[in-house]
Amino acid sequence: SFERAAVLTARGRLWNSTFLEEYLTVTSVELIVRASVSVTSSIKNLVLKDASTQIPVSIYLDPGAAVAGGVPWWVILLAVLAGVLVLALLVFILWKLGFFHRARYAPPAVPQYHAVKIPREER
C-alpha cells in the first residue's frame, strides 16, 4: 500500500548518567547509527532502493544537567562526627541503665559440718 516513498522514524535514548559517567571530559559525542530495512512480501517486483543507511547523531552535554564532582570533605567530616556522637550517647545511656554490668551470682551454699570430738572412751 506504499505510494512512492515511506518515511521510517527511529528513536533511541542515551541516559544522562551514562553520558556523564562514560564521557565526562568531552562536551559532545557523535554517534553513527546504521540501519537497514528488509521487507518480506508476496509481491515479486518489490525493489527497495537504499535499503541501508548511516545517520550521524550529535549529542551535546547539557552543563546544567551535570552532577557535582563529589561530596565536599566537610560534609563527610560532619557526618562522621555526628555518628560518633550518637554512638557515644547510646553507650552512655546503656551504661547508666546497667546494661554492661556483669551479673554476679552468689556461690552455691555448701553445707558446713561442725565436727564434734568424741572422746575415745565413749566410742
Side-chain angles (χ1 to χ4, degrees):
S1 66
F2 290 113
E3 299 255 338
R4 290 189 145 197
V7 177
L8 299 176
T9 304
R11 295 182 188 201
R13 292 185 181 197
L14 176 66
W15 287 18
N16 196 24
S17 61
T18 303
F19 187 75
L20 292 174
E21 289 172 7
E22 299 294 327
Y23 307 105
L24 185 60
T25 58
V26 297
T27 57
S28 67
V29 174
E30 184 172 339
L31 297 175
I32 297 176
V33 179
R34 293 187 183 123
S36 62
V37 177
S38 63
V39 177
T40 305
S41 176
S42 61
I43 301 172
K44 302 275 187 202
N45 60 357
L46 180 65
V47 177
L48 290 175
K49 293 181 181 176
D50 298 327
S52 62
T53 185
Q54 291 185 358
I55 304 167
V57 177
S58 297
I59 303 169
Y60 298 98
L61 175 64
D62 183 12
V67 294
V71 179
W73 66 269
W74 61 270
V75 173
I76 296 172
L77 180 66
L78 188 65
V80 168
L81 290 177
V84 169
L85 181 67
V86 168
L87 181 65
L89 183 65
L90 181 67
V91 168
F92 179 73
I93 290 171
L94 288 174
W95 178 65
K96 281 297 192 182
L97 292 175
F99 182 77
F100 297 110
H101 289 242
R102 181 177 292 185
R104 302 194 189 253
Y105 299 107
V110 177
Q112 299 289 329
Y113 296 105
H114 299 286
V116 178
K117 187 173 182 183
I118 301 173
R120 187 175 262 197
E121 294 86 26
E122 292 180 19
R123 283 193 246 162

